[in-house]
Amino acid sequence: MAELVPVEAFDMVIFGATGDLARRKILPALFHRWCDGQIPENSRIIAAAREDMSTAEYLVRASEFVNGDKKDKAWAAFSKRVTYTAIDAHGESGGWQVIRDALKGDEAKIRLFYLALPPSVYGPVCAAIGKHALNTPASRIVLEKPIGHDFHSARHINEAVGAVFDEASIFRIDHYLGKETVQNLLVLRFANMLLEPVWNAGGIDHVQITVAETLGAGERADYYDRAGALRDMVQNHLLQLLCLVAMEPPLSLEGDAVRTEKLKVLRALRLIRAEDAGKCLVRGQYGAGMIDGSPVPGYTDELGQPSKTETFTAIRASIDNWRWAGVPFYLRTGKRMAKRRSEIIVQFKPVPHDIIRADAGVLQPNRLVIRLQPDEGVKLMMMTKDPGPGGMRLRYVPLNLSYADAFEADYPDAYERLLMAVVRGNLALFMRRDEVEAAWRWTDAVIRAWTEGASPVHSYAAGTDGPSQGALLLSRDEREWFDGDHA
Ligand code: BG6
């Protein structure tokens, strides 16, 4: 296990501290880093939310989501670092003065404001932080996706936040960038000599990116129904994955070096027009079905009202630049799919000339399977001679790197890593303003194409791979979706 390097001491104010995100992700992440000794003792967490309650009451609620062997003793020490303050985050309330008093005298210390709130209030809360003079030069603001619901709302939010915080102090979270295997994409591509010379239209036939979940919209149905799979997953997580696969080598891993290369990819993404919707876009919504052997209701039954929101989408994306001309990137994501898996599959081109006898088996092009979760790993499918007598017979077998077999490490969850990266000021793992806006421009075009092209929302049974039209998207190009488990 790699050595853990403690971060500098910090003060963190979590707005929306009684919400789901704070209780399920942020506090447990901080607690785990505390248990591993990465958070110095003189750090403080100020949990702020609308409800009136005492710190003790808050801690009882927060502890529901914290588990593990170390819990009892460590939780007692950790909770001493936490206080709760009732506040109307974007109005006038005494809570602001309480926070101000608590932070007073610590102006040089790293200060984090985490907005675990709906994006519509990011601007007003930042204005309030500014008005109460809480933003010091050492302050950082952390924002959750979605930043807006289209290009214009994102720009509006970015401007309001930017009026109080410099871009270099704004940390926009896309939690996929905190995943171990997503970070490995940079290492895989740029710390190995093998791949880069063929990592282009000359060597690669196409790329598939799949993020499939078995969960439904669940308790977040209200938010989800306004977002849908495109805004909830593609605009951020899938496009970020696409960027990491497609970008040019950055000058270094420094924040702006990486983000500038990602931005170039986003700007090179071809805007999909209404007349291309039929061959480039598919959307679907799950109906009732079976997940892991149990019946589950359809989306509209869960929601309790009719809806046209997509819970599945498949997109044939194109990157109009020198490296990727003519190489489709097929993106697919959905809820209530057959199994949970996030993976990137890079299909290489066939060898230029087949010198092996035709009866020895069909030559298959190499395929790289990058499994992001679960069963993290990297698999390179290769043609190999079947050992033994009987002449030249071919087999397509994997060179297999399974994380579970190769590494002992019990690596931190994405939020743990991202929170520590905020304290360190490592911007490379966060989205820059121009990236978010460029991603929205492309996403807005998809929505326009859906609307103007009157694209249907196809139904699919929960527990399947989405509507059959998703498969057509590839079969029309004489390709098929691969499943990394059987690649
Ligand atoms: C979130 C989406 O950003 O990512 C959710 O809002 C989705 O709808 C989640 O379930 C998936 O994240 P993970 O880490 O479970 O793949």
Side-chain angles (χ1 to χ4, degrees), residues 145 175-176 179 213 220 232-233 237 335 340 373:
K145 64 143 266 249
H175 79 280
Y176 267 57
K179 289 184 190 274
E213 300 180 88
R220 295 163 71 235
D232 185 49
M233 297 293 289
H237 306 324
K335 296 220 180 269
R340 174 173 178 254
Q373 63 185 26

Side-chain angles (χ1 to χ4, degrees), residues 354-363 390-394:
D354 179 0
I355 60 160
I356 320 262
R357 274 196 352 248
D359 62 351
V362 183
L363 274 192
M392 183 67 87
R393 289 186 317 271
L394 300 183

Side-chain angles (χ1 to χ4, degrees), residues 41 244 310:
E41 298 245 341
L244 294 175
E310 81 287 353

Side-chain angles (χ1 to χ4, degrees), residues 21 25-26 114-120 122 141-150 154 157-158 170-177 179 211 213 220 223-224 227-240 333 335 415 418 429-432 435-436 439-440 443:
L21 179 73
K25 292 286 188 190
I26 307 172
Y114 200 124
L115 305 197
L117 297 167
S120 54
Y122 289 173
I141 182 121
V142 188
L143 307 176
E144 275 289 330
K145 64 143 266 249
I147 309 286
H149 59 272
D150 59 10
I157 291 172
N158 282 331
I170 305 175
F171 290 73
R172 297 179 189 83
I173 288 206
D174 179 315
H175 79 280
Y176 267 57
L177 296 179
K179 289 184 190 274
V211 178
E213 300 180 88
R220 295 163 71 235
Y223 147 78
Y224 191 84
L230 182 72
R231 290 186 172 100
D232 185 49
M233 297 293 289
V234 179
Q235 189 271 345
N236 34 80
H237 306 324
L238 276 87
L239 286 188
Q240 287 292 320
T333 185
K335 296 220 180 269
Y415 271 90
L418 291 175
L429 303 182
F430 302 86
M431 295 179 293
R432 202 168 59 191
E435 271 184 89
V436 173
W440 273 122
T443 309

Side-chain angles (χ1 to χ4, degrees), residues 326-375:
V327 180
F329 280 68
Y330 299 100
L331 313 178
R332 170 173 65 157
T333 185
K335 296 220 180 269
R336 290 282 193 232
M337 305 266 288
K339 63 179 178 186
R340 174 173 178 254
R341 70 186 159 113
S342 297
E343 63 193 14
I344 299 170
I345 299 190
V346 179
Q347 174 70 37
F348 290 92
K349 289 201 161 154
V351 291
H353 174 63
D354 179 0
I355 60 160
I356 320 262
R357 274 196 352 248
D359 62 351
V362 183
L363 274 192
Q364 293 199 55
N366 299 120
R367 189 175 300 156
L368 180 68
V369 179
I370 305 168
R371 176 57 82 98
L372 305 174
Q373 63 185 26
D375 308 327

Side-chain angles (χ1 to χ4, degrees), residues 65-113:
F65 291 98
V66 175
N67 299 308
D69 309 338
K70 300 178 194 154
K71 181 171 165 179
D72 290 347
K73 204 158 145 243
W75 180 254
F78 175 77
S79 24
K80 290 209 179 80
R81 313 311 314 150
V82 182
T83 53
Y84 179 82
T85 305
I87 196 169
D88 175 4
H90 52 102
E92 279 308 322
S93 91
W96 285 103
Q97 192 54 42
V98 176
I99 295 179
R100 210 172 150 167
D101 290 345
L103 296 175
K104 207 165 173 183
D106 272 330
E107 282 72 19
K109 197 169 171 189
I110 293 174
R111 189 176 284 184
L112 269 52
F113 298 101

